[in-house]
Amino acid sequence: MITGKTVVAGVVGRPVAHSLSPILHNAWLAAAGIDGVYVPFAPDAHGFERLANGLRGGAVRGVNVTVPFKEAALAVADRASEAARTAGAANVLVFEADGRILADNTDGYGLLRAFAVQAPRWDVGLGPVTVLGAGGAARGAVAALLLAGAPKVWVVNRTLAKAEALAAALGPKVVALPWGHAAGALSASTAVINATSAGLGGGEAPDAPLETTQPQAVVMDMVYKPLVTPFLRRAMELGRPVVDGLEMLVRQAEPSFEAFFGAPPPAEVDVRALALEHLA
Ligand code: ATR
């Protein structure tokens, strides 16, 4: 029930209609008995700044931000967490009563929580990690790994210049490699993360020599549609432990919920099952 005291939060994206975030947050709100609501916002391609600036003052408590506005979200904020600054992007904006906008990035938290849940024997400090891709998703993953203490991250990308730019932005622990050198990196990595857009919507897996990975190397795909991507399917056929993108999506939502509604999400809701139902 919407009352005069309902706290409003939401998600901004383009397109936003298929976002799972309203499903997750509203299920948590209902289970926690919080007087709040979580709604979608879809500004046009140039309308993000106008929307965000219009929400200054806190009539809407905060928003998650998704593709293609995460970089714009960081730019519009008055203050940003280290996670958001390192990732170069924000997926959470909180609108303070004094008019300021605070930016955070919980995607990195989601990524590492997903590993902790689905590959509990893996640890970020164990050794090098390979990230495939050099776009916004890849930068977020590399930033999260570095902040969590990864000793080295190889960024393998089809367009080497983009991997080099990412490495230059994030420091000496990040090393750029052309696609042709992937095998060497994969064979020495404790985990491999697909952060390319290949495989999105059921397309081809990125052409990476997964057979060169060590038997215990964890293979993760940030794509969650389909849940088992061609990339993860290949890893499973090789017997590698895998982590899926849906777990990351669900886990990044947890600190967002707390930022908006002031309480952690109730543990008893099986949001993963709920998300799977809506993906089907
Ligand atoms: P996002 O913000 O979601 O990361 P992006 O910035 O468009 O999206 O980046 C997409 C990434 O996927 C890039 O690293 C791209 O490689 P290029 O820089 O060479 O374009 C990578 N990518 C897309 N399709 C790919 C494919 N079929 N094989 C390998 N890499 C692919």
Side-chain angles (χ1 to χ4, degrees):
M1 197 177 67
I2 305 294
T3 73
K5 292 187 221 145
T6 300
V7 175
V8 182
V11 56
V12 187
R14 182 184 167 84
V16 81
H18 298 291
S19 171
L20 290 171
S21 295
I23 309 290
L24 307 184
H25 285 269
N26 287 310
W28 280 329
L29 285 168
I34 293 174
D35 187 359
V37 66
Y38 186 100
V39 294
F41 298 102
D44 67 31
H46 306 290
F48 179 80
E49 283 76 12
R50 211 163 31 186
L51 172 66
N53 284 318
L55 296 178
R56 286 181 186 271
V60 166
R61 184 75 185 96
V63 290
N64 283 120
V65 180
T66 186
V67 177
F69 299 126
K70 290 185 184 187
E71 284 86 4
L74 177 64
V76 82
D78 301 290
R79 253 185 44 210
S81 68
E82 188 182 15
R85 281 183 276 119
T86 313
N91 74 324
V92 177
L93 294 179
V94 170
F95 301 104
E96 297 280 88
D98 65 8
R100 286 180 314 157
I101 301 178
L102 310 185
D104 195 7
N105 191 315
T106 66
D107 286 334
Y109 168 89
L111 178 72
L112 290 158
R113 276 298 294 156
F115 270 80
V117 170
Q118 296 190 329
R121 276 191 281 190
W122 179 85
D123 185 89
V124 70
L126 287 175
V129 176
T130 298
V131 173
L132 305 175
R139 178 167 174 157
V142 176
L145 292 163
L146 290 177
L147 288 175
K152 181 170 192 159
V153 181
W154 281 298
V155 176
V156 176
N157 197 45
R158 205 168 50 176
T159 310
L160 180 60
K162 273 169 74 179
E164 285 172 341
L166 204 162
L170 292 181
K173 289 179 182 163
V174 184
V175 177
L177 289 176
W179 205 266
H181 288 50
L186 290 185
S187 65
S189 290
T190 65
V192 184
I193 298 172
N194 175 33
T196 73
S197 46
L200 259 180
E204 293 270 300
D207 184 22
L210 281 180
E211 64 284 356
T212 61
T213 54
Q214 295 165 30
Q216 72 279 15
V218 180
V219 177
M220 195 267 174
D221 199 334
M222 290 172 76
V223 173
Y224 61 85
K225 216 172 174 175
L227 178 65
V228 179
T229 61
F231 187 72
L232 289 187
R233 166 108 33 231
R234 250 169 52 212
M236 287 158 81
E237 283 161 9
L238 290 164
R240 305 294 185 263
V242 299
V243 174
D244 62 54
L246 186 64
E247 197 63 30
M248 174 175 170
L249 180 87
V250 166
R251 299 296 172 176
Q252 63 76 30
E254 293 173 348
S256 310
F257 183 88
E258 189 156 358
F260 303 148
F261 301 111
E268 70 271 17
V269 185
D270 187 352
V271 279
R272 188 179 161 89
L274 208 64
L276 277 172
E277 217 175 279
H278 281 266
L279 282 176

